Structure formats: structure tokens, C-alpha cells
Amino acid sequence: EDKVVQSPLSLVVHEGDTVTLNCSYEVTNFRSLLWYKQEKKAPTFLFMLTSSGIEKKSGRLSSILDKKELFSILNITATQTGDSAIYLCAVEKPTSGTYKYIFGTGTRLKVLA
Amino acid sequence: DAGITQSPRHKVTETGTPVTLRCHQTENHRYMYWYRQDPGHGLRLIHYSYGVKDTDKGEVSDGYSVSRSKTEDFLLTLESATSSQTSVYFCAIRGPPADTQYFGPGTRLTVL
């Protein structure tokens, strides 16, 4: 059975700290791994990773994929209170003429001022 | 912004009543999805569509049906709402710019 596991489940840090969020997966027919940020509304897309070892970066956020060990990490440096959110990891797989997405349960990050 | 709207945004209903949620997109996306999100479960796929009149079940489809009679609209119906269907419902599409999944704003449904 396909599964995506995120850790930790929750995390509390202070502004300025660096955090690393983890996502491991066991999914057949992997196409890509996705990271989303969810505040009190819909998830918003952060990164899509398809190749091992190539870092994607956007400001203070970065992410990398290891397809051999089947995991990805999301790093946030110099955290700010605005980074407080749930971070979701998902794996995309093509199947039966469409694409399906298997989501982890998320990591809840709280950044204290 | 993937041009997705959902209606209604909030709804309170009573057990046993039928409820229809609407997802509307303006950019001709082929693939559309309905999820529910509950604490401790994350996002779970209810139904999905890969074209007009082409739909299939996801992992939590019991008690739900869908219809897609035109590209832009994907309707989710709770045939007889139960309290266990109290949740936040998200519609999503697969499309550009990254050819991946983008979400609508969500509908908060409460079944009393």
C-alpha cells in the first residue's frame, strides 16, 4: 500500500531558528514529490521535486529529494512567525489515465516571536 | 491562482439531507479532484475526474457521488449527510504552471 510519512508531527521554534521537516515515502510508480504550505485556508504549492540531489530553493525555503533512500527534506532558515503553518508532503503517481496524489498528515510548525 | 472557486464556502445542514458542493474552474483543466481534510487524517481523496463524464472513486468515496457534465464544473453530492461527513472539502485541479496539483479555497461543511 502506498504511504507517505512526515516527521515530526509538530514543532515549536523561535524566530531565527532553522528547521528541517522530513518526508519519507513508499509509493509505486513515483513521478514527483510535492511540498505545500497550509495556513488557515487551502494548501499552497511550494516545490515539486522529480530528480535526486537537485535542490529547489525559494527565499529561505529549500528542498531536496533522495530517490534511493525514498525521502525528502524541507529546510526553512531564519524562521519568521509567518512561517507558522502546516507543511504537507505529497507524492504524485500516474495511474489508470490520471494522476493521483498521496498525502502525508503534515507537520505543524509554530514559530514564536 | 489556478482559477478555482468553490461554493458554498460554508454550510450547516442536518443529518439526512442531501448536499451538493460545487467546484468551478475557468482554465479548461482536464483533471479535477475532491478531497476532505480532517484532523489526524490529512487530505483524503473522495473522487476524481479525468474528463467530462469520466470519474472514479478515491479512498473515502462511500456516501459521496460526483458528476462532471462539463469541463468547468465538478459537483460533489452527499446523498444523505451524516455527522461523520462534517469536514473541510477541497477541490483541486492538476495544471500549470508546474503541471501539478492546485487547490480551491475550500468548503467548511457542518452536519448537525
Side-chain angles (χ1 to χ4, degrees), chain A residues 29-33 48-50 92-94 99, chain B residues 94 99:
Chain A
N29 208 18
F30 171 98
R31 178 181 182 271
S32 65
L33 186 141
M48 180 170 74
L49 303 151
T50 55
E92 180 187 43
K93 58 179 287 181
Y99 298 84
Chain B
R94 183 183 187 274
D99 278 340

Side-chain angles (χ1 to χ4, degrees), chain A residues 1 9 15 21 28 57 70 84 101:
Chain A
E1 182 184 338
L9 291 180
E15 273 193 318
L21 310 183
T28 57
K57 197 169 171 64
L70 307 183
S84 296
Y101 300 81

Side-chain angles (χ1 to χ4, degrees), chain B residues 25-64:
Chain B
Q25 52 115 340
T26 57
E27 299 184 16
N28 213 33
H29 300 298
R30 178 180 174 189
Y31 303 104
M32 298 183 76
Y33 306 79
W34 276 108
Y35 292 90
R36 59 178 290 175
Q37 187 174 37
D38 306 288
H41 291 279
L43 282 157
R44 293 183 291 175
L45 181 65
I46 306 171
H47 280 279
Y48 61 95
S49 171
Y50 44 96
V52 173
K53 293 187 170 34
D54 290 322
T55 65
D56 208 344
K57 296 178 181 180
E59 61 181 302
V60 291
S61 60
D62 286 349
Y64 301 94

Side-chain angles (χ1 to χ4, degrees), chain A residues 51-63:
Chain A
S51 301
S52 281
I54 299 174
E55 186 182 53
K56 292 283 184 89
K57 197 169 171 64
S58 176
R60 296 176 294 102
L61 277 65
S62 63
S63 184

